[in-house]
Structure formats: structure tokens, C-alpha cells
């Protein structure tokens, strides 16, 4: 094992591209200087295609959860009832945030590892027309499920005049999303997942329908008041000191997206998902989610006959490789591989091969190379 050669394969934080790392290290500038205005003016149009929107994407300093809380405080008026779709740990985080603000919260639970069925939400909303906002998780990081947010948006808007608010923290930048076409009202992401940056930025895009709600909201908030960010961004500014180093990096990330092409970025993520899945299928180790519900950014594996923590320990010890364990009731029962952001099919071949080695080390009767071969074949056949 080399010192200073970590292999980070968790669903965030993710590795940083060298050119982004260099950009982040640039000397500091004045946050009210022309250079900062120019930086924000360069970033602004380049972020829109990542969200699939014509709206300005607002940037706040804070982790992804700050973005979720910002959405809640801006979009929910005092006295409004909301529905949170819970497909795992991050769905419950939305519930916790709403409860912290004493918002009357309906909770729709889906078994962990499954995607929500839009028909079920349609039926729920028929029974509860009073609901003013529906919260969903796009990629549920704790299970590796990609929820059908396009179809959810459709049923929400057919049944009610509620806002549809989506946590896209672990997939925006890695999967295609058309916020405007699909009619998502608020789409949130963070910097440290598919956006290939260190943690510390959260991004929110807000629809016209949602702006009407936000602008008439008299819930008190100060740092999180989105109207301030919108107004300032029009002139290339932010209401408070922005995380300038991360903005330097963001500009470089957006240039890398343009260079690779967003379609290619999304196809790369799908390929990495398929390589990971076919590898574990070949190794005869069960996946937590079915093919239709699987996210291109993270894969959860649920072994029946070995301890995922033992596997993680060997990977850490012999390779300095970090993969994720399970959260809450899945702790000790699953492991998760992050394949998003600065991660390539070449990295996946290496990752799978290292996992095969570690499986052998913990005494699993695996045929070495069998998962790697399956992943290679997936690549050779064009990804599916
Ligand atoms: C990582 C993540 C978040 C935000 O977590 P922070 O630690 O606050 O950045 C929110 N939602 C999902 C789905 C995530 O994966």
C-alpha cells in the first residue's frame, strides 16, 4: 500500500479532480470585487443545464442538509401541511427538518431498497388534498435507489397545487434531470457528491410556482432567505461572503462537464452502475435494489453469508480503500459503493478487483476475476 494513495468509493465526499484541486487552491480575492462578479457570471449559465432549468441556480455556503433546510423554511408557510416520501435515511432527514419547525408532516414510508410507486402517492394525495408541499429524495443514498421523480412530479401536480421539492444531493451532476420539463419546484444538491468538489456548498433551483410561495412566506428566516440570494445573484453577488475557494473549484468542474459533455457524464455513470451490478451478480452476492430502481451513482450490496464490516476492514487495511457501510437498521447488513463524480469505468475495474481480493481474504469462496470479467464484458458490450 502506498502512503498518500487513498481510494475513496463512498457516496460522498468523493475524489476531487486534480485540476479542481488546483483551482480550489488559488489565492483569495475580495468577495465584493469585480473578480467575484465575473466568477459568478461565468458560473451562472453553466450550472443551468446540470439542473435542466432556465432558473438561476442559487448557491449557499453549507452542506447538503443546509440546502434541505433552506427548501423547507422557504417553501412551507406557517400552518401548511406537508408530505414527505421516505425511502431511506435521507427521506427521514426531511421529516426531521420539518418537525424541527413544527410543521404538520405526513410521512409516506416505503420499504428500504425499493423505489416509491407514483400511483401510491397519487392515491395518498387524493385522500389529503390539503397538502401544500411534497418532499422526495431523488437518489436515496442509504439504499442506492433512484426514485421516479419525473412521474412523481406529474402526479403531484395533477392531484394538488402542492409544490414538489426534490433532494438531488447524491445524483445531480451524475444523472440527467430536467427540472423545468419535469415540473420540479425546488431541486437541491450539494458540492461533495457528483459535483466533484469538497463539501461546503449547497445549490437550489426554484420554479416560478415556488417563487410565488417563497415570496409571500412570512416564516422568519435570515441566512436561509432565498429571496436575498436571488436578488443578489442577478448582479453577480451573494448576500454573505461566499465560499470563494469552492467557487473557484466549481468553475473548473463546470468546465470539465462541458469538456466531457453532460450526456457523456450521465452515460459514464450508467455504465459504472451496470459494471458494478453485473460484477456482484457474477459473484453471486445479492444486490439490495432491483435493476429498475438502481441509481447510477451508488450501489448497495446485501451479502447473505459474510459480514460487510469484515470486508470493509480488509479493504481499508490492505488498500486504504473506503467503501460505505449501511445506515440505521441496515448497519452491518449491507455495504455501499459510491461511483459518482470523479470516478471512471477504469476505477470500477480496479475497485471490483480489489473487492474480489478482499472477499478471498475474509474466506469467501469466490472465483478470483469473475466479477472483474463480468464488468469488463459489460464495458465491451457497450454498458448494458
Ligand atoms: C449527502 C446527502 C445529503 C446531505 O448531507 P450533508 O452531510 O449535509 O452534505 C442530503 N441528501 C442526500 C440524499 C445525500 O446523499
Amino acid at each position: 500500500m502506498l502512503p498518500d494513495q487513498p481510494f475513496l468509493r463512498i457516496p460522498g465526499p468523493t475524489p476531487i479532480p486534480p485540476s479542481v484541486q488546483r483551482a480550489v487552491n488559488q489565492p483569495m480575492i475580495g468577495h465584493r470585487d469585480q473578480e467575484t462578479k465575473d466568477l459568478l457570471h461565468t458560473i451562472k449559465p453553466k450550472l443551468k443545464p446540470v439542473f435542466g432549468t432556465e432558473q438561476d441556480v442559487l448557491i449557499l455556503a453549507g452542506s447538503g442538509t443546509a440546502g434541505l433546510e433552506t427548501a423547507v423554511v422557504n417553501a412551507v408557510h406557517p400552518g401548511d401541511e406537508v408530505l414527505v416520501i421516505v425511502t431511506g435515511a435521507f427521506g427521514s432527514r426531511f421529516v426531521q427538518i420539518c418537525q424541527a419547525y413544527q410543521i404538520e408532516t405526513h410521512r409516506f414510508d416505503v420499504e428500504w431498497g425499493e423505489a416509491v410507486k407514483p400511483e401510491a402517492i397519487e392515491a395518498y394525495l387524493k385522500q389529503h388534498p390539503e397538502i401544500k408541499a411534497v418532499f422526495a429524495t431523488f437518489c436515496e443514498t442509504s439504499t442506492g435507489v433512484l426514485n421516479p421523480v419525473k412521474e412523481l412530479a406529474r402526479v403531484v401536480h395533477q392531484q394538488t397545487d402542492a409544490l414538489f421539492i426534490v433532494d438531488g444531493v447524491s445524483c445531480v451532476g451524475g444523472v440527467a434531470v430536467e427540472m423545468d420539463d419535469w415540473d420540479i419546484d425546488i431541486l437541491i444538491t450539494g458540492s461533495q457528491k457528483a459535483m466533484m468538489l469538497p463539501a461546503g456548498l449547497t445549490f437550489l433551483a426554484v420554479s416560478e410556482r415556488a417563487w410565488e410561495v417563497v415570496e409571500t412566506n412570512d416564516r422568519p428566516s435570515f441566512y436561509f432567505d432565498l429571496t436575498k440570494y436571488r436578488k443578489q445573484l442577478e448582479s453577480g453577488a451573494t448576500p454573505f461572503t461566499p465560499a470563494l475557494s469552492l467557487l473557484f473549484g466549481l468553475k473548473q468542474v463546470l468546465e470539465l462537464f462541458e469538456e466531457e459533455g453532460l450526456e457523456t457524464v450521465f452515460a459514464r455513470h450508467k455504465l459504472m452502475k451496470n459494471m458494478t451490478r453485473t460484477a456482484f451478480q457474477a459473484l453471486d452476492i445479492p444486490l439490495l435494489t432491483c435493476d429498475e430502481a438502481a441509481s447510477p451513482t451508488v450501489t448497495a450490496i446485501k451479502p447473505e453469508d459474510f459480514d460487510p464490516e469484515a470486508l470493509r476492514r480488509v479493504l481499508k487495511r490492505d488498500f486504504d480503500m473506503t467503501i460505505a457501510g449501511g445506515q440505521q437498521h441496515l448497519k452491518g447488513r449491507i455495504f455501499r459503493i459510491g461511483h459518482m463524480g470523479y470516478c471512471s469505468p477504469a476505477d470500477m475495474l480496479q475497485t471490483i478487483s480489489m473487492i474480489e481480493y478482499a472477499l478471498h481474504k475474509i474466506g469467501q469462496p469466490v472465483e478470483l476475476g469473475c466479477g472483474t470479467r463480468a464488468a469488463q464484458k459489460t464495458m465491451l458490450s457497450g454498458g448494458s
Side-chain angles (χ1 to χ4, degrees), residues 22 51 72 90 144 247 359:
R22 289 193 294 275
F51 281 68
V72 169
F90 289 99
L247 295 184
L359 285 167

Side-chain angles (χ1 to χ4, degrees), residues 118-134:
E119 312 84 76
I121 299 306
E122 187 171 22
Y124 193 92
L125 290 172
K126 268 201 184 111
Q127 302 297 313
H128 299 276
E130 69 281 9
I131 283 166
K132 289 288 192 291
V134 178

Side-chain angles (χ1 to χ4, degrees), residues 63-65 68 90 93 137 139 141 167 169-170 192-193:
S63 82
T65 307
L68 306 187
F90 289 99
R93 184 164 300 181
T137 315
C139 169
T141 324
D167 170 356
V169 175
S170 60
Q192 80 274 28
K193 311 241 168 134

Side-chain angles (χ1 to χ4, degrees), residues 248-265:
F248 298 151
L250 175 60
K251 175 169 171 263
Q252 179 58 23
V253 164
L254 295 169
E255 276 160 21
L256 291 176
F257 279 161
E258 281 179 0
E259 193 178 315
E260 187 179 355
L262 272 182
E263 289 308 316
T264 313
V265 171

Side-chain angles (χ1 to χ4, degrees), residues 207-228:
S207 72
E208 282 312 320
R209 184 194 292 114
W211 274 123
E212 282 174 28
V213 174
V214 172
E215 274 160 2
T216 55
N217 196 348
D218 48 19
R219 180 186 297 284
S221 78
F222 187 78
Y223 186 77
F224 291 151
D225 177 0
L226 281 177
T227 62
K228 289 192 184 105

